[in-house]
Coordinates of all heavy atoms in Angstrom, one line a residue:
M1 N 112.5 117.1 113.6 CA 111.4 116.5 114.3 C 111.0 115.3 113.6 O 111.3 115.1 112.4 CB 110.3 117.6 114.4 CG 109.5 117.8 113.1 SD 108.2 119.0 113.4 CE 108.0 119.5 111.7
K2 N 110.2 114.4 114.3 CA 109.8 113.1 113.8 C 108.3 113.2 113.4 O 107.5 113.7 114.1 CB 110.0 112.0 114.8 CG 111.4 111.8 115.1 CD 111.5 110.7 116.2 CE 113.0 110.5 116.5 NZ 113.2 109.5 117.6
I3 N 108.1 112.8 112.1 CA 106.7 112.6 111.6 C 106.5 111.2 111.0 O 107.5 110.5 110.9 CB 106.4 113.7 110.6 CG1 107.3 113.6 109.4 CG2 106.4 115.1 111.2 CD1 106.9 114.5 108.2
L4 N 105.3 110.9 110.7 CA 105.0 109.6 110.1 C 104.4 109.9 108.7 O 103.4 110.6 108.6 CB 104.1 108.8 110.9 CG 104.0 107.3 110.8 CD1 105.4 106.7 111.2 CD2 102.9 106.8 111.7
V5 N 105.1 109.4 107.6 CA 104.6 109.6 106.3 C 104.2 108.2 105.7 O 105.1 107.3 105.5 CB 105.6 110.3 105.4 CG1 105.1 110.5 104.0 CG2 106.1 111.6 106.0
N6 N 102.9 108.0 105.4 CA 102.4 106.7 104.9 C 102.9 105.6 105.7 O 103.3 104.5 105.2 CB 102.8 106.6 103.4 CG 102.1 107.5 102.5 OD1 101.2 108.2 102.9 ND2 102.6 107.7 101.3
G7 N 102.9 105.8 107.0 CA 103.3 104.7 108.0 C 104.8 104.6 108.2 O 105.2 103.7 109.0
T8 N 105.6 105.4 107.6 CA 107.1 105.3 107.7 C 107.6 106.5 108.5 O 107.3 107.6 108.1 CB 107.7 105.3 106.3 OG1 107.2 104.1 105.6 CG2 109.2 105.1 106.5
P9 N 108.3 106.3 109.6 CA 108.9 107.4 110.3 C 109.9 108.2 109.5 O 110.6 107.6 108.6 CB 109.7 106.7 111.5 CG 109.1 105.3 111.5 CD 108.7 105.0 110.2
R10 N 109.9 109.5 109.7 CA 110.8 110.4 108.9 C 111.2 111.6 109.7 O 110.4 112.1 110.5 CB 110.0 110.9 107.6 CG 110.8 111.7 106.7 CD 110.0 111.9 105.4 NE 110.9 112.6 104.4 CZ 111.6 112.0 103.5 NH1 111.6 110.7 103.4 NH2 112.3 112.7 102.7
E11 N 112.4 112.0 109.6 CA 113.0 113.2 110.3 C 112.9 114.3 109.3 O 113.4 114.2 108.2 CB 114.4 112.9 110.7 CG 114.6 112.1 112.0 CD 114.4 112.9 113.3 OE1 114.5 114.1 113.3 OE2 114.2 112.2 114.3
V12 N 112.4 115.4 109.8 CA 112.3 116.7 109.0 C 112.7 117.9 109.8 O 112.5 117.8 111.1 CB 111.0 116.9 108.3 CG1 110.6 115.8 107.3 CG2 109.9 117.0 109.3
P13 N 113.2 118.9 109.2 CA 113.4 120.2 110.0 C 112.2 120.7 110.7 O 111.1 120.5 110.1 CB 114.0 121.1 109.0 CG 114.5 120.3 107.9 CD 113.6 119.1 107.8
E14 N 112.3 121.5 111.7 CA 111.2 122.0 112.5 C 110.3 122.9 111.6 O 109.1 123.0 111.9 CB 111.7 122.9 113.6 CG 112.4 122.1 114.7 CD 111.5 121.3 115.6 OE1 110.4 121.8 115.9 OE2 111.9 120.3 116.1
T15 N 110.8 123.6 110.6 CA 110.0 124.5 109.8 C 109.4 123.9 108.6 O 109.0 124.7 107.7 CB 110.9 125.7 109.4 OG1 112.0 125.3 108.7 CG2 111.4 126.5 110.7
T16 N 109.4 122.6 108.5 CA 108.9 122.0 107.2 C 107.4 122.2 107.0 O 106.6 122.0 107.9 CB 109.2 120.5 107.3 OG1 110.6 120.3 107.5 CG2 108.8 119.7 106.1
T17 N 107.1 122.6 105.8 CA 105.7 122.7 105.3 C 105.4 121.4 104.5 O 106.2 120.7 104.1 CB 105.5 123.9 104.5 OG1 106.2 123.8 103.3 CG2 105.8 125.2 105.3
V18 N 104.1 121.3 104.2 CA 103.7 120.2 103.3 C 104.4 120.3 102.0 O 104.9 119.4 101.4 CB 102.1 120.2 103.1 CG1 101.7 119.3 102.0 CG2 101.4 119.8 104.4
A19 N 104.5 121.6 101.4 CA 105.2 121.8 100.2 C 106.6 121.4 100.2 O 107.2 120.7 99.3 CB 105.1 123.2 99.7
D20 N 107.3 121.7 101.4 CA 108.7 121.3 101.6 C 108.8 119.8 101.5 O 109.7 119.2 100.9 CB 109.2 121.8 102.9 CG 109.3 123.3 103.0 OD1 109.4 124.0 101.9 OD2 109.2 123.8 104.1
L21 N 107.9 119.1 102.2 CA 108.0 117.6 102.3 C 107.8 117.0 100.9 O 108.5 116.1 100.5 CB 106.9 117.1 103.3 CG 106.9 115.6 103.4 CD1 108.2 115.0 104.0 CD2 105.7 115.1 104.2
L22 N 106.8 117.5 100.2 CA 106.6 117.0 98.8 C 107.8 117.2 98.0 O 108.2 116.3 97.2 CB 105.4 117.7 98.2 CG 104.0 117.3 98.8 CD1 102.9 118.1 98.1 CD2 103.7 115.8 98.8
S23 N 108.5 118.3 98.1 CA 109.7 118.5 97.4 C 110.8 117.5 97.8 O 111.5 116.9 96.9 CB 110.2 119.9 97.6 OG 111.4 120.2 97.0
Q24 N 110.9 117.2 99.1 CA 111.9 116.2 99.6 C 111.6 114.9 99.0 O 112.5 114.1 98.7 CB 111.9 116.2 101.1 CG 112.5 117.4 101.8 CD 112.3 117.4 103.3 OE1 112.0 116.3 103.9 NE2 112.3 118.5 103.9
L25 N 110.3 114.6 98.9 CA 109.8 113.3 98.4 C 109.8 113.2 96.9 O 109.5 112.2 96.3 CB 108.4 113.0 98.9 CG 108.3 112.8 100.4 CD1 106.8 112.7 100.8 CD2 109.1 111.6 100.9
E26 N 110.2 114.3 96.2 CA 110.2 114.5 94.8 C 108.9 114.2 94.1 O 108.7 113.4 93.2 CB 111.3 113.6 94.2 CG 112.7 114.0 94.6 CD 113.8 113.2 94.0 OE1 113.5 112.2 93.3 OE2 115.0 113.5 94.3
M27 N 107.8 114.8 94.8 CA 106.5 114.6 94.3 C 105.9 115.9 93.9 O 106.2 117.0 94.5 CB 105.6 114.0 95.4 CG 106.0 112.6 95.8 SD 104.9 112.0 97.1 CE 104.5 110.4 96.4
T28 N 105.1 115.9 92.8 CA 104.5 117.1 92.4 C 103.1 117.3 93.0 O 102.3 116.4 93.0 CB 104.3 117.1 90.8 OG1 105.6 116.8 90.2 CG2 103.7 118.4 90.3
A29 N 102.9 118.5 93.6 CA 101.6 118.7 94.3 C 100.4 118.5 93.5 O 99.4 118.0 94.0 CB 101.6 120.1 94.9
S30 N 100.4 118.7 92.2 CA 99.2 118.6 91.4 C 98.9 117.1 91.2 O 97.8 116.8 90.7 CB 99.4 119.3 90.0 OG 100.5 118.7 89.3
H31 N 99.8 116.2 91.5 CA 99.6 114.8 91.3 C 99.3 114.0 92.6 O 99.2 112.8 92.6 CB 100.8 114.1 90.6 CG 101.0 114.7 89.2 ND1 102.2 115.3 88.9 CD2 100.2 114.8 88.2 CE1 102.1 115.7 87.6 NE2 100.9 115.4 87.2
V32 N 99.2 114.7 93.7 CA 98.9 114.0 95.0 C 97.9 114.7 95.8 O 97.5 115.8 95.6 CB 100.2 113.9 95.9 CG1 101.3 113.2 95.1 CG2 100.7 115.3 96.3
A33 N 97.3 113.9 96.8 CA 96.5 114.4 97.8 C 97.2 114.2 99.1 O 97.8 113.1 99.3 CB 95.1 113.7 97.8
V34 N 97.1 115.2 100.1 CA 97.8 115.1 101.3 C 96.8 115.2 102.5 O 96.1 116.2 102.5 CB 98.9 116.1 101.4 CG1 99.7 116.0 102.8 CG2 99.9 116.1 100.3
E35 N 96.9 114.3 103.4 CA 96.1 114.3 104.6 C 97.1 114.4 105.8 O 98.1 113.7 105.8 CB 95.4 113.0 104.8 CG 93.9 113.0 104.8 CD 93.3 111.7 105.0 OE1 93.8 110.9 105.8 OE2 92.2 111.5 104.5
V36 N 96.8 115.3 106.7 CA 97.6 115.4 107.9 C 96.7 115.2 109.1 O 95.7 115.9 109.3 CB 98.3 116.8 108.1 CG1 99.1 116.9 109.4 CG2 99.2 117.1 106.9
N37 N 97.0 114.1 109.9 CA 96.2 113.7 111.0 C 94.7 113.6 110.6 O 93.8 114.1 111.3 CB 96.3 114.7 112.2 CG 97.8 114.8 112.6 OD1 98.5 113.8 112.7 ND2 98.2 116.0 112.9
L38 N 94.5 112.9 109.5 CA 93.2 112.5 109.0 C 92.4 113.7 108.4 O 91.2 113.6 108.1 CB 92.3 111.8 110.0 CG 92.9 110.5 110.6 CD1 92.0 110.0 111.7 CD2 93.1 109.5 109.5
E39 N 93.1 114.9 108.2 CA 92.4 116.0 107.6 C 93.1 116.4 106.3 O 94.3 116.6 106.2 CB 92.5 117.2 108.6 CG 91.7 118.4 108.2 CD 91.6 119.5 109.2 OE1 91.6 119.1 110.4 OE2 91.7 120.6 108.8
L40 N 92.3 116.5 105.2 CA 92.8 116.9 103.9 C 93.4 118.3 103.9 O 92.8 119.2 104.5 CB 91.7 116.8 102.9 CG 92.1 117.1 101.4 CD1 93.1 116.0 100.9 CD2 90.9 117.1 100.5
V41 N 94.6 118.5 103.4 CA 95.2 119.8 103.3 C 95.1 120.2 101.8 O 95.6 119.6 100.9 CB 96.7 119.7 103.7 CG1 97.3 121.1 103.5 CG2 96.9 119.2 105.1
P42 N 94.3 121.3 101.6 CA 94.1 121.7 100.2 C 95.4 122.2 99.6 O 96.3 122.7 100.3 CB 93.1 122.9 100.3 CG 92.5 122.8 101.7 CD 93.5 122.0 102.5
R43 N 95.6 121.9 98.3 CA 96.8 122.3 97.6 C 97.2 123.7 97.8 O 98.3 124.1 97.9 CB 96.7 122.0 96.1 CG 96.9 120.6 95.7 CD 97.0 120.4 94.2 NE 96.7 119.0 94.0 CZ 95.5 118.5 93.5 NH1 94.6 119.4 93.1 NH2 95.3 117.3 93.3
A44 N 96.2 124.6 97.8 CA 96.4 126.0 98.0 C 97.1 126.4 99.3 O 97.7 127.4 99.5 CB 95.1 126.8 97.9
R45 N 97.0 125.4 100.3 CA 97.6 125.6 101.6 C 98.9 124.9 101.8 O 99.5 125.0 102.9 CB 96.6 125.2 102.7 CG 95.4 126.1 102.7 CD 94.6 126.1 104.0 NE 95.5 126.4 105.2 CZ 95.5 125.7 106.3 NH1 94.6 124.7 106.5 NH2 96.3 126.1 107.3
H46 N 99.4 124.1 100.9 CA 100.6 123.3 101.0 C 101.8 124.2 101.4 O 102.6 123.8 102.2 CB 101.0 122.6 99.7 CG 100.1 121.4 99.5 ND1 100.3 120.5 98.5 CD2 99.0 120.9 100.2 CE1 99.4 119.5 98.5 NE2 98.6 119.8 99.5
H47 N 101.9 125.4 100.9 CA 103.1 126.2 101.2 C 103.0 126.9 102.6 O 104.1 127.2 103.1 CB 103.3 127.3 100.1 CG 103.8 126.8 98.8 ND1 105.1 126.4 98.6 CD2 103.1 126.6 97.7 CE1 105.2 126.0 97.4 NE2 104.1 126.1 96.8
E48 N 101.9 127.0 103.1 CA 101.7 127.6 104.4 C 101.5 126.6 105.6 O 101.6 127.0 106.8 CB 100.6 128.7 104.4 CG 99.2 128.0 104.2 CD 98.1 129.0 104.0 OE1 98.3 130.0 103.2 OE2 97.1 128.9 104.7
F49 N 101.1 125.4 105.3 CA 100.7 124.4 106.3 C 102.0 123.8 106.9 O 102.7 123.0 106.3 CB 99.9 123.3 105.7 CG 99.2 122.5 106.8 CD1 97.9 122.7 107.1 CD2 99.9 121.5 107.4 CE1 97.2 121.9 108.1 CE2 99.3 120.7 108.4 CZ 98.0 120.9 108.7
Q50 N 102.4 124.3 108.1 CA 103.6 123.8 108.7 C 103.3 122.5 109.5 O 102.3 122.4 110.3 CB 104.1 124.9 109.7 CG 105.5 124.6 110.1 CD 106.2 125.8 110.6 OE1 105.7 127.0 110.5 NE2 107.4 125.7 111.2
L51 N 104.2 121.6 109.4 CA 104.1 120.3 110.1 C 104.6 120.4 111.5 O 105.4 121.3 111.8 CB 104.9 119.2 109.3 CG 104.4 119.0 107.9 CD1 105.4 118.0 107.2 CD2 103.0 118.6 107.8
R52 N 104.1 119.5 112.4 CA 104.4 119.5 113.8 C 104.9 118.1 114.2 O 104.6 117.2 113.5 CB 103.2 119.9 114.6 CG 102.9 121.4 114.4 CD 101.8 121.8 115.4 NE 100.6 122.1 114.5 CZ 99.4 122.0 114.9 NH1 99.1 121.6 116.1 NH2 98.4 122.2 114.1
E53 N 105.7 118.1 115.3 CA 106.2 116.9 115.8 C 105.0 115.8 115.9 O 103.9 116.2 116.4 CB 106.8 117.1 117.2 CG 107.3 115.9 117.9 CD 108.6 115.4 117.4 OE1 109.4 116.3 116.9 OE2 108.9 114.2 117.4
A54 N 105.3 114.6 115.5 CA 104.4 113.5 115.6 C 103.2 113.5 114.6 O 102.3 112.7 114.8 CB 103.9 113.3 117.0
D55 N 103.2 114.5 113.7 CA 102.1 114.5 112.7 C 102.1 113.2 111.9 O 103.2 112.6 111.7 CB 102.3 115.7 111.7 CG 101.6 117.0 112.2 OD1 100.9 116.9 113.2 OD2 101.9 118.0 111.6
R56 N 100.9 112.8 111.5 CA 100.8 111.6 110.7 C 100.2 112.0 109.3 O 99.1 112.5 109.3 CB 99.8 110.6 111.4 CG 100.3 110.0 112.6 CD 99.3 109.1 113.3 NE 99.9 108.5 114.5 CZ 100.3 107.2 114.5 NH1 100.3 106.5 113.4 NH2 100.9 106.7 115.6
L57 N 101.0 111.7 108.3 CA 100.6 112.1 107.0 C 100.3 110.9 106.1 O 101.0 109.9 106.2 CB 101.7 112.9 106.3 CG 102.0 114.3 106.8 CD1 102.9 114.3 108.0 CD2 102.5 115.2 105.7
E58 N 99.3 111.1 105.2 CA 99.1 110.2 104.1 C 99.2 111.0 102.9 O 98.5 112.0 102.7 CB 97.7 109.6 104.2 CG 97.5 108.6 105.4 CD 98.4 107.4 105.3 OE1 98.6 106.8 104.2 OE2 98.8 106.9 106.4
V59 N 100.1 110.5 102.0 CA 100.3 111.2 100.7 C 99.9 110.1 99.7 O 100.5 109.1 99.6 CB 101.8 111.6 100.5 CG1 102.0 112.3 99.2 CG2 102.3 112.5 101.7
V60 N 98.9 110.5 98.9 CA 98.3 109.6 98.0 C 98.5 110.1 96.5 O 98.2 111.2 96.3 CB 96.8 109.4 98.2 CG1 96.2 108.4 97.2 CG2 96.5 108.9 99.7
T61 N 99.1 109.3 95.7 CA 99.3 109.6 94.3 C 98.1 109.3 93.5 O 97.5 108.3 93.6 CB 100.5 108.8 93.7 OG1 101.7 109.1 94.5 CG2 100.8 109.2 92.3
L62 N 97.7 110.3 92.7 CA 96.5 110.1 91.9 C 96.9 109.3 90.6 O 97.9 109.6 90.0 CB 95.9 111.5 91.5 CG 95.6 112.4 92.7 CD1 95.1 113.7 92.1 CD2 94.6 111.8 93.5
V63 N 96.1 108.3 90.3 CA 96.4 107.4 89.2 C 95.2 107.5 88.2 O 94.1 107.2 88.7 CB 96.7 106.0 89.6 CG1 97.0 105.1 88.5 CG2 97.9 106.0 90.6
G64 N 95.5 107.7 87.0 CA 94.4 107.7 86.0 C 94.3 106.3 85.3 O 95.1 105.5 85.5
G65 N 93.3 106.2 84.6 CA 93.1 104.9 83.9 C 91.6 104.4 84.0 O 90.8 105.1 84.5
G66 N 91.4 103.3 83.4 CA 90.0 102.8 83.4 C 89.8 101.4 83.9 O 90.6 100.8 84.5

């Protein structure tokens, strides 16, 4: 199915969860925030939150510093 990740089209399997996508992107859940269709998905729900056709995701990496 087709989704949009940070403005870039991406093909993923029908059963993809947020956790699956983060794994595909080689990102660690503890270092990112994920929004699906403008709604924040809590880290505790990444493994159960299944993506759907045409979902729009924003994956933001947390950066420390001053």
Side-chain angles (χ1 to χ4, degrees):
M1 77 181 156
K2 294 179 185 179
I3 61 172
L4 203 61
V5 181
N6 293 347
T8 303
R10 186 173 185 91
E11 282 277 341
V12 296
E14 294 283 329
T15 58
T16 301
T17 64
V18 169
D20 296 333
L21 178 66
L22 291 178
S23 179
Q24 290 172 20
L25 296 172
E26 298 181 357
M27 298 180 128
T28 305
S30 61
H31 297 120
V32 299
V34 180
E35 244 184 32
V36 178
N37 302 322
L38 302 177
E39 188 172 323
L40 182 66
V41 178
R43 280 188 201 106
R45 294 200 55 225
H46 285 186
H47 287 286
E48 65 187 47
F49 194 101
Q50 194 160 350
L51 301 175
R52 291 185 247 152
E53 179 77 28
D55 274 347
R56 293 174 174 263
L57 288 85
E58 291 295 324
V59 181
V60 181
T61 303
L62 305 176
V63 178

